[in-house]
Amino acid sequence: MTTAALSTVQLAPGQAAWRRFRRHRLALAGAVIILVLVLGSALGPYLLPFDDTYIDILKRFAPPLSGAHILGTDELGRDVMARLMMGGRVSLSIGIVAMVIAMAVGIVVGAFAGFYGGVVGAVLMRLVDAVLCFPTIFLLLALAALTEPGLITTTVLIAATAWMGVARVVEAQVRSLREREFAVAALAFGSSNLRIMFRELVPNAIAPIVVAATLNVAKAILLESYVSYLGYGIQPPAASWGNMLNNAQIYLTSAPWLAIAPGVAITLAVTSFNFLGDGLRDALDPRMNIP
Amino acid sequence: MARYVINRLGQAIMLLVIVSAIGFAILHLAPGGPLSQYAASAQMTQEDLDRVTKQLGLDRPLPIQYLDWFGRMVRGDWGRSYRDGEAVLSVIGSHLGATLELMATATIIAALLGCWIGILGALRRYSLFDSLATVGAMIALSIPTFWFGLVMIYVFSVKLGWLPAGNRETVGDGSLLDLLHHLIAPALVLALVETAMWGRFMRSSMLEVINQDYIRTARAKGMPEWRILTLHALRNALLPMITVAGLQFPTVLGGALVAETVFTWPGMGRLFLDSIGYRDYPVVMGILMFSATMVLIGSLLADILYAVVDPRIRVG
Amino acid sequence: MADETGRFGVLALRFGAPSRRRFIQLGAGAAAGLSLSGSAFAQVERPTNPPDKPRGQVIAALSQEPTVFHPLMPGIEVDQGIWWQVFSPLWFIDPDGKFIPDLAREVPTVENGGLSADGLTWKIKLRSDVKWHDGTPFTADDVKFSLELINNPDFRARSRVGHSLVKDIKVVAPDEIHWRMEAPYSPYMSILGSLTFIVPKHILEKVSDPNSSPFHNAPVGTGPFRWGERVPGDHILLNAHAGYHGKGPYLERVVFKYIPDLTVLYTQFRTGQVDYTGLQGVLPNFVQEAKTLKGRKIFVSATSSVEHIAPNLEFGPFADRAVREALYLAINKQAIVDALYYGLPTQTESFVPQQAWSFQQGLPQHKYDPAKANALLDAAGWVRGSGGVREKGGVKLEFTNSTTSGNAVREQTQQLLIQDWRAIGAAMRVNNMPAAVIWGDFWQQSKFNSVLVSVNFMLGSDPDVTPRFGSGAIPAKGGRGYNTYQYRSPEADRLLAEGARQFDLAQRKATYGDLQKLIRNDLAILPLFQGFIAEGVKEGLQGFRPNINTSINCWNIREWYWT
């Protein structure tokens, strides 16, 4: 049964996956939205007549659709649309890069721990436990205090607080799968350990990994706002969705669009990543039937 | 099994020692110190500051300070807060109740609601319910807590006047009804994200299971659907949730921290944040050790439970 | 206001708007403090009569948590809010700047024989009708004990400045105490007056550890309110002390509620859960709206701190006076005050608060003039290089500016400065940090380029700023003061030394006037505006009287009452 399933994937993995993915409408929508957000952030600023850091104190708090400012202006009279786009560059790259780092570390640690078990597994998983022992905020504050704030530091900091969950999920999956027939079979065929780990076992954990990964992008984008909140992270005048949302807090009643714009951007981005992940999981997991 | 547990306990204690050393080092090496707050206010001269530094023993070499602190901690003396002079354990104790009240309420709501939504979503995959739940969960997960909390306060307290704008109780009242009235908004805000998490994990776990061979086999053998669900699917699908629950603990604490700030809730999260801000070393270390212990116990219990319910895993 | 405040407590330390230790001249008690009377800040409402017996309660919100209840230990402003209610000083300074006796029967002066002409012998007559909250009578022994406790080497005293000079304390009678000063030290009058609360001997003499005892979390004092209960992280409840020796109290209960987030604090004031918003008060952007709220009143009062840009004068470009002047000229101060602070504060050119007797009128007024700034830099040899940034002799006109992170309005000010200064070819970068980091070595040891900060420069109400501008007060150079600007000027040193020797008020005013002109001319600091705080009070609550001579405006809750 399992061997049959495996062989199906090996026959036409790309095509089958793409077919399954296409059927997932929400995922497609997510992918499109992400594409729009990415393109908008990358190219948008060149199309706008406003600079994201240009202050016009006389025009502060202009509501959306007033004059040339589509999304209005902020507490310093800067164009919110321009800031949203520039902020998107920062927030999206932090979210995605931090997730990639966290996933890579988490998968490797989890796979090794689950596969080898014994001392290696125990040491690695205790390391995971040790890091998990530190509340996220403590890790963020403590590590941030030792470094210079900035884009790269923020990304690494966020990744450093996010890899443990994946490691655990992967470890649990690999541990429970490695004893099962197909791993044993693969071993019998003379495959190397690394190959078994990352070609046979880890792919079996792809569903939880993808779910965790998508949730992690969400978390990373949100964490970015908390890092800003705590005083490290993206320094003004550069914009990020997190610090825009953060700054908008005290104007929630008087200028709600300042909070709504980055809030919607974050929600859209995060939601889209989640849908995308959903679709990917369905597409990549051959054992699932699409009804 | 007993050997396994003892083994793990031993590892846990080792781990606590390592965590304490790392935490102590990071905390003391981070710039700033407990006297910064007085230093800038010019209320105390440099001479006064030096004297207090000495009186607090902060002028000694770091390893000595650590060993001193560690020695006392093992003997049950966790030191005293630099801020209010209370014993660290009693400081933690006085904030713990508020956090537990909030966390327990939110987690129970989230676990029940999340599992229900997740299971239903998986069984009726791509139905209207599933789509709504999925979209809802995604949005819930992407709303920053502090923002959502403020909106809640604005709508339900300022505009509608239904709920209090924060606080755990009305000073001088403190009846059960009053407590519950204050609990609604922060618990819901906390539960929102948690429910989404539980729902997502439950759904994917359930989907995983109902596509397994043994379920198909059971179906092929003509076993009634409800029996398949309760006997095989649910049992196996709940299995990974144990790990989820174990992992949830630190995130709940983090979420509580934000909710506690917005809703003026006198809990551990606020205490921790304030203590870090004031560099109240003994309290920060105390909370770190406390939460580390909790996390370790949680993870140990999760592993043992996992081993008990999943016969495929052999321990020892 | 809007001092180093964040919305998370982590950032919410109110640094830089600090102590107001009083410094007066011997025998010139009337000129003790700064006067707010006649200003727009005084409460306009005609007071009705207070009730015959204590009635009702007040919930006072604070954005930091009071945690230190022993009034002689290190504490911050919000702690003083509690001390004022639970304890009493020997005398205090009222909003008009006058010393008012409290535990003492009269304020000692040379005229009434309380002080010897050389300022060395002090004879204090005490009230004999004062009782501690537990019923024990208050006597001169308590004063003696308090002063000795401060000098006890095992005790973590907040400060021994002045106290360490006190010798030969003699209790002459239960209501009279004498001592000798090792050297004449006039500020001691105000140190005793506004920051030295007397603690009970009969309780504290029995504790084994003076730094931690049950008293520390259930203090017993002689103040208008008794300790009720404390819920850590949430609130402190005080009850009226029926046997209080002074006026009041007219309230049954006072609850100090800790609300870390300023938006939430204002919201709770708006919804009515809070009767009074103490430190940090109402954020400037809410003030306009708050004034329109029904049943709420907003008081905007000056504090004695000055919001300014602190340059590190040893840092490259700032060493050049032309640069400082050009930067100052290029600041659109009006925009900062009017737009970012909603016109609430008053612009200033001096480090002395405008209410003080020593304030120098007619200092050169700041003018926003980027063209002149550009010309000045051109003339000084700073030429525009790549990217429009000026440089001179290999030194680029670039620097960082730091402030407490999380302070929204300060961050806005910084961004305005970036733009203003870019126009004259100066590149500023923001480098903000949490309070515990920035006010540590970074500030103390002058590791910054420039800082946006609010500082109370006065030594009490006295303009002796030797610790701030004296060349021997630079911590980074081993000095014992707070001259983190690293300002060094022989002329300033001369004026400072002269002012400290002078005893005639007019002479001192002239000396410190010259000093203010010098500092303004040297631009040792780039002053922006005088500090302020906007506080909300529910209508019907009478007696709120802002006092620039105290660190916290809820100093006199004993006189508050509901109509």
Side-chain angles (χ1 to χ4, degrees), chain A residues 39-85:
Chain A
L39 285 178
S41 300
L43 306 176
Y46 300 112
L47 306 175
L48 277 183
F50 303 105
D51 182 283
D52 66 304
T53 57
Y54 178 74
I55 296 171
D56 187 348
I57 205 74
L58 296 175
K59 286 208 191 118
R60 63 201 301 237
F61 298 124
L65 298 175
S66 60
H69 299 287
I70 305 169
L71 291 179
T73 60
D74 70 357
E75 67 275 10
L76 290 171
R78 295 172 296 199
D79 184 62
V80 173
M81 190 69 193
R83 287 189 74 69
L84 202 60
M85 288 167 167

Side-chain angles (χ1 to χ4, degrees), chain C residues 480-530:
Chain C
R480 305 225 121 179
Y482 328 107
N483 186 353
T484 51
Y485 317 104
Q486 312 205 54
Y487 176 69
R488 277 177 302 172
S489 155
E491 175 65 6
D493 285 345
R494 190 186 66 74
L495 286 169
L496 284 168
E498 196 174 298
R501 277 197 308 267
Q502 288 169 328
F503 281 83
D504 179 77
L505 202 67
Q507 278 179 9
R508 298 195 76 203
K509 190 167 159 50
T511 309
Y512 288 109
D514 287 346
L515 182 68
Q516 288 170 67
K517 287 179 204 156
L518 179 70
I519 301 280
R520 168 64 180 83
N521 185 54
D522 281 351
L523 285 166
I525 60 167
L526 310 186
L528 294 175
F529 55 81
Q530 194 177 331

Side-chain angles (χ1 to χ4, degrees), chain C residues 42 75 95 105 118 170 184 189 249 251 332 342 440-441 481 504 541 556:
Chain C
R105 234 177 307 157
D118 59 2
K170 275 198 292 277
M189 192 76 186
L251 296 165
N332 191 347
Y342 295 82
D441 276 357
D504 179 77
L541 184 57
N556 70 332

Side-chain angles (χ1 to χ4, degrees), chain B residues 31-33 36-52 55-56 80-86 91 94-95 150 153-154 157-159 163-169 171-172 182 257-258 260-267 270 273-274 276-279, chain C residues 7-10 12-13 15-16 18-19 21 57 59 64-65 67-68 74-76 80 152-161 195 212 216-217 230-235 237 255 257-261 263-264 267-268 270-271 273 435-437 439-440 443-444 468 480 482:
Chain B
S36 294
Q37 53 172 324
Y38 308 120
S41 78
Q43 203 177 72
M44 300 169 74
T45 64
Q46 191 63 44
E47 233 165 329
D48 292 322
L49 291 174
D50 290 348
R51 177 175 46 79
V52 176
Q55 283 169 333
L56 290 174
R80 287 179 177 277
S81 161
Y82 292 162
R83 296 178 66 208
D84 65 6
E86 289 282 279
V91 173
S94 62
H95 288 77
L150 285 172
I153 289 180
Y154 182 68
S157 309
V158 178
K159 285 286 150 199
L163 297 173
N167 300 346
R168 190 184 178 198
E169 57 179 350
V171 178
H182 284 82
L257 187 147
V258 175
E260 284 174 10
T261 301
V262 173
F263 289 99
T264 327
W265 200 265
R270 282 281 341 151
L273 206 55
D274 279 353
I276 282 198
Y278 289 97
R279 298 288 192 271
Chain C
R7 286 141 299 166
F8 268 7
V10 101
L13 312 185
F15 291 138
S19 86
R21 259 182 291 131
Q57 72 169 13
I59 297 185
Q64 285 165 276
E65 187 188 1
T67 54
V68 180
I76 50 178
Q80 296 183 29
N152 176 352
D154 295 328
F155 178 60
R156 227 153 51 220
R158 179 178 58 252
S159 177
R160 291 191 184 137
V161 172
L195 271 174
S212 87
H216 288 71
N217 270 296
R230 168 176 184 235
V231 177
D234 194 59
H235 70 263
L237 188 148
V255 177
K257 176 96 183 98
Y258 169 45
I259 304 179
D261 186 304
T263 308
V264 177
T267 308
Q268 292 205 8
R270 194 178 150 169
T271 58
Q273 280 162 283
V437 180
W439 306 119
W443 168 252
Q444 298 272 95
R468 293 286 180 187
R480 305 225 121 179
Y482 328 107

Side-chain angles (χ1 to χ4, degrees), chain C residues 55-104:
Chain C
R55 192 159 56 80
Q57 72 169 13
V58 159
I59 297 185
L62 303 168
S63 68
Q64 285 165 276
E65 187 188 1
T67 54
V68 180
F69 310 115
H70 191 308
L72 302 177
M73 291 182 77
I76 50 178
E77 279 88 350
V78 289
D79 297 320
Q80 296 183 29
I82 305 291
W83 303 345
W84 274 107
Q85 321 312 328
V86 176
F87 296 95
S88 317
L90 291 172
W91 46 83
F92 62 90
I93 308 175
D94 76 357
D96 298 330
K98 286 202 283 285
F99 277 121
I100 308 289
D102 194 333
L103 287 175

Side-chain angles (χ1 to χ4, degrees), chain C residues 233-393:
Chain C
D234 194 59
H235 70 263
I236 290 153
L237 188 148
L238 307 176
N239 294 307
H241 170 43
Y244 180 56
H245 59 274
K247 256 194 346 181
Y250 306 124
L251 296 165
E252 258 178 302
R253 270 184 310 275
V254 179
V255 177
F256 284 96
K257 176 96 183 98
Y258 169 45
I259 304 179
D261 186 304
L262 285 176
T263 308
V264 177
L265 193 149
Y266 168 67
T267 308
Q268 292 205 8
F269 175 64
R270 194 178 150 169
T271 58
Q273 280 162 283
V274 157
D275 302 312
Y276 160 71
T277 66
L279 286 174
Q280 298 288 329
V282 178
L283 282 171
N285 60 295
F286 293 131
V287 168
Q288 214 51 46
E289 181 197 80
K291 282 182 174 166
T292 65
L293 292 179
K294 247 187 94 174
R296 307 280 185 282
K297 291 203 278 183
I298 303 294
F299 297 92
V300 180
S301 25
T303 66
S304 41
S305 56
V306 172
E307 176 95 3
H308 65 280
I309 296 154
N312 181 351
L313 301 173
E314 299 273 301
F315 168 76
F318 294 145
D320 187 346
R321 193 198 158 278
V323 168
R324 301 200 297 275
E325 183 169 9
L327 291 176
Y328 194 49
L329 280 169
I331 299 173
N332 191 347
K333 248 200 215 187
Q334 198 69 45
I336 294 173
V337 168
D338 285 353
L340 305 186
Y341 286 93
Y342 295 82
L344 298 174
T346 319
Q347 291 192 30
T348 190
E349 303 291 341
S350 174
F351 55 85
V352 173
Q354 288 154 30
Q355 291 77 5
W357 59 265
S358 49
F359 178 69
Q360 175 67 39
Q361 300 282 350
L363 292 172
Q365 280 299 303
H366 166 269
K367 216 174 127 254
Y368 172 52
D369 192 347
K372 193 173 163 200
N374 265 318
L376 221 107
L377 287 173
D378 287 339
W382 291 88
V383 288
R384 285 189 190 254
S386 58
V389 179
R390 290 176 187 271
E391 52 180 286
K392 178 182 177 181

Side-chain angles (χ1 to χ4, degrees), chain A residues 253-273:
Chain A
T253 52
S254 58
W257 64 90
L258 293 183
I260 291 170
V264 167
I266 291 178
T267 309
L268 258 184
V270 173
T271 310
S272 304
F273 275 109

Side-chain angles (χ1 to χ4, degrees), chain B residues 202-238:
Chain B
M202 190 67 222
R203 180 178 182 272
S204 61
S205 171
M206 191 71 182
L207 279 177
E208 192 94 329
V209 169
I210 54 179
N211 285 297
Q212 291 286 350
D213 302 337
Y214 56 85
I215 299 286
R216 290 189 215 171
T217 315
R219 249 192 214 123
K221 279 202 274 184
M223 195 185 267
E225 194 68 23
W226 64 269
R227 271 203 73 185
I228 299 176
L229 284 180
T230 47
L231 210 66
H232 298 283
L234 204 57
R235 188 187 136 110
N236 283 300
L238 281 171

